Amino acid sequence: MNKPIATLDETSEPAGVFRKILDFAGYCLYWAGYWTEHLLVLELEIARRALRLADPRVHSEAKRIKSIEEGRLSKQTGKFFILVLFPGATLPGFTRSLIAALKASPFNLVVVLNASLPAATREELRDACCLMIERENVGSDFGGYKDAISVVSKRFGEPERLVIANDSVFYFRDGLDKLIADLDGPQDFIGVSEVFDHHYHVASFLISFGPSIVRSEAFRNFWAGFRPLGTRRWNIFHGEGALTENLVAAGFRPHILFRAEPLRPHVRARNRAELDAALAMLPTRHRDKVIKHMRREFAPDHLAAIRAGTTQFDAALSDRIADAIVDQIMQRNQMHAAGFLFRKNFNLPVIKRDIFYREIYPLDEIAAKFSDLDPVTKEEVMADLQRRGTAANLGFLRKFLYRHSAI
C-alpha cells in the first residue's frame, strides 16, 4: 500500500532523447498489440452473439420462464423490488441482509432465480416475497429484469415505483434501510452509482424508476426490443448503457445517490498523513494515476511541500489534491474507484463482489478495509472473493477475453 504513495518522494533526472524514443516505441507496440487483440475479441463477440440468437429461448419469454410461484408476503402498495439472483447451493448472508431490510419497506419483493435453490431455501424466500420467478439463465441479470418486468406488468399493472437489483454486490445491514428509503424518493430515475468508462450509464445493479418512467414509451420500448443474449459486452452496451441513453434522450435525468463530487472535502488532504490515507482508499491503478498526475501537473513548491512532509499544506495545495483525486474517480466506474470512500464517508452499504476478480484491490487491502465487519460477515465476504479468484485462475482463452472486458 505504501509503495505507490512513496513515489511522490522520488526524484528523477530528465530522460535522455534515446530513452524517450525507446519509451515511445514501447508505447506504440503496446497499443498495436492491444488493438490487434481487441479486434479478435470483437470478432469472437459477434460469433457468440450469433450463436445465442439461434437459441429459441432468447426470443420467447415462455421458453425462458420455468415457473412462477406466489409468495407469502404481499403488501398493499404498487411498489415492486425485482431482485435477480444467481445463487450457489445456499443464499449468502449478505444477500439475506437485503431481503430482511426489504421486509420492513413498502416494496413488494419479486425474486428472480437464474439458478435453482434447495427446497428449504425456496420456501424461506417465499416467506419474504410476493412472487418468485424461476427461469433459465438466458441473458443473465438483464434477461431476468426483462422477464420480471413483463410478469409484474401483466399481473399487477403499471407499478407506482419499480426497482431492479441483482446480487453482484455485497449488501451490508448498516445503512440498508436508508438506501432503500432513498430508492423510494420523489425522483423518477434514481441510481446508486454511475459509470464513465467507455460511455456514461447508471450502474444497473440497483436502479429505481418512478411512475413517469414506467409509463413512458422509452422505457416500454427498451424492454420490448431488448434481446437477452447475455454476453458481458452485450449487457453493458445494449443493456445498461442503452437503457440510460434511451431514458436520458426521453428527458429523464438520473439522480445519483453516491457521486464523486461530494467526496471533495473528504479527500482534501491538509497534511501528508491525510494524503496517504486518502490515496490508500483508492484502487492501486487509480492511486498510481493520481500520483503521476501530481508529479506532472503540480507546481514545484507543492511537490516540495509533499516531499518534505510539511505538517500543514496550504489551501491551494489541499484543493489541488482534492481535484486530482475526484477527477480520477469521475472518469471511472465509480463503485470500483470510490466504493470504499463512499462506504467510509457516506455509509454506502454495498460493495461490488468483483473487486478482487477484476483486480481492483489485492486481497490483503480488501481485508483491511473490511476490518469493521463482524467476524462472521467478514469471513463469508472474504471466502466469496477468494472462491471466484482472479484472472490468474483462468485458462488462456478466458484470460484473453477477460483482458478486453468480454467476461
Side-chain angles (χ1 to χ4, degrees):
M1 185 182 298
N2 292 327
K3 182 176 181 295
I5 299 172
T7 60
L8 280 168
D9 293 330
E10 294 173 5
T11 57
S12 58
E13 296 299 323
V17 174
F18 183 66
R19 181 65 207 175
K20 289 181 179 179
I21 292 171
L22 285 178
D23 288 345
F24 180 71
Y27 177 84
C28 292
L29 286 171
Y30 169 80
W31 282 107
Y34 174 86
W35 281 106
T36 299
E37 281 190 359
H38 196 68
L39 290 172
L40 288 172
V41 167
L42 294 181
E43 290 175 6
L44 284 171
E45 177 73 11
I46 291 168
R48 293 170 74 197
R49 291 179 186 179
L51 285 171
R52 296 185 186 198
L53 274 171
D55 184 344
R57 297 174 301 175
V58 166
H59 310 281
S60 170
E61 180 182 305
K63 287 183 169 66
R64 292 191 297 270
I65 294 179
K66 297 161 73 174
S67 68
I68 301 175
E69 298 178 60
E70 299 292 335
R72 290 187 279 267
L73 182 59
S74 183
K75 302 171 186 175
Q76 299 304 308
T77 75
K79 300 177 181 182
F80 293 86
F81 192 109
I82 293 169
L83 177 59
V84 178
L85 303 177
F86 187 74
T90 60
L91 200 62
F94 45 78
T95 303
R96 292 175 186 270
S97 293
L98 172 63
I99 293 168
L102 287 168
K103 280 187 176 182
S105 79
F107 286 104
N108 284 291
L109 174 61
V110 177
V111 173
V112 182
L113 297 176
N114 275 357
S116 297
L117 272 172
T121 308
R122 290 172 64 93
E123 288 304 304
E124 180 188 346
L125 280 174
R126 287 185 66 198
D127 287 336
C129 72
C130 72
L131 211 61
M132 180 183 293
I133 303 168
E134 185 173 358
R135 63 187 297 277
E136 302 283 354
N137 187 25
V138 175
S140 59
D141 56 346
F142 257 81
Y145 295 155
K146 176 183 172 74
D147 290 344
I149 290 170
S150 173
V151 170
V152 167
S153 298
K154 291 171 187 173
R155 291 206 171 204
F156 305 106
E158 289 180 342
E160 174 189 345
R161 167 72 57 180
L162 180 69
V163 177
I164 58 174
N166 62 45
D167 60 355
S168 67
V169 296
F170 299 114
Y171 293 96
F172 301 118
R173 189 69 189 89
D174 185 28
L176 266 181
D177 291 338
K178 183 180 186 306
L179 177 61
I180 292 169
D182 289 344
L183 290 168
D184 194 19
Q187 301 86 1
D188 271 307
F189 190 5
I190 305 174
V192 172
S193 183
E194 53 195 344
V195 181
F196 290 86
D197 282 338
H198 308 299
H199 64 281
Y200 175 79
H201 61 268
V202 178
S204 64
F205 65 86
L206 195 51
I207 312 180
S208 177
F209 306 106
S212 296
I213 284 185
V214 173
R215 296 170 190 153
S216 70
E217 284 190 20
F219 188 77
R220 291 199 302 266
N221 290 345
F222 170 80
W223 291 110
F226 178 75
R227 292 288 175 263
L229 299 184
T231 72
R232 184 168 188 266
R233 293 182 66 86
W234 179 267
N235 279 351
I236 291 172
F237 292 100
H238 297 274
E240 58 188 2
L243 176 59
T244 296
E245 183 181 0
N246 288 0
L247 294 180
V248 169
F252 298 106
R253 182 179 179 182
H255 173 71
I256 305 301
L257 299 177
F258 294 88
R259 297 172 49 250
E261 184 62 31
L263 286 170
R264 193 175 297 276
H266 300 279
V267 295
R268 190 178 177 275
R270 293 164 297 182
N271 52 57
R272 180 60 182 267
E274 290 184 4
L275 172 59
D276 287 357
L279 291 175
M281 295 300 291
L282 297 176
T284 305
R285 71 187 74 166
H286 304 326
R287 189 186 308 160
D288 290 346
K289 288 179 180 179
V290 170
I291 290 166
K292 287 178 182 177
H293 172 84
M294 289 179 178
R295 297 185 68 194
R296 184 178 63 249
E297 302 293 338
F298 278 27
D301 59 327
H302 284 165
L303 288 175
I306 293 172
R307 291 189 183 112
T310 304
T311 302
Q312 199 74 12
F313 298 155
D314 63 33
L317 177 52
S318 294
D319 287 341
R320 294 207 68 181
I321 288 169
D323 290 344
I325 293 173
V326 171
D327 288 351
Q328 180 61 218
I329 293 168
M330 289 182 72
Q331 300 174 44
R332 311 295 169 190
N333 178 331
Q334 295 190 6
M335 275 297 292
H336 281 163
F340 283 108
L341 278 168
F342 292 141
R343 185 167 182 265
K344 175 185 175 183
N345 295 291
F346 306 136
N347 202 28
L348 171 70
V350 297
I351 291 289
K352 290 289 287 181
R353 289 173 69 182
D354 66 354
I355 54 173
F356 182 51
Y357 175 70
R358 297 283 166 205
E359 299 179 345
I360 309 299
Y361 292 95
L363 210 56
D364 60 335
E365 286 197 22
I366 297 171
K369 288 174 172 59
F370 280 142
S371 61
D372 62 315
L373 293 178
D374 66 86
V376 173
T377 301
K378 182 176 179 180
E379 182 179 357
E380 184 182 42
V381 165
M382 298 307 295
D384 184 80
L385 294 167
Q386 291 178 76
R387 185 163 47 247
R388 191 171 187 188
T390 66
N393 305 109
L394 302 177
F396 174 78
L397 178 58
R398 290 183 66 78
K399 278 184 181 176
F400 180 70
L401 295 172
Y402 170 97
R403 282 198 299 273
H404 296 267
S405 301
I407 59 171

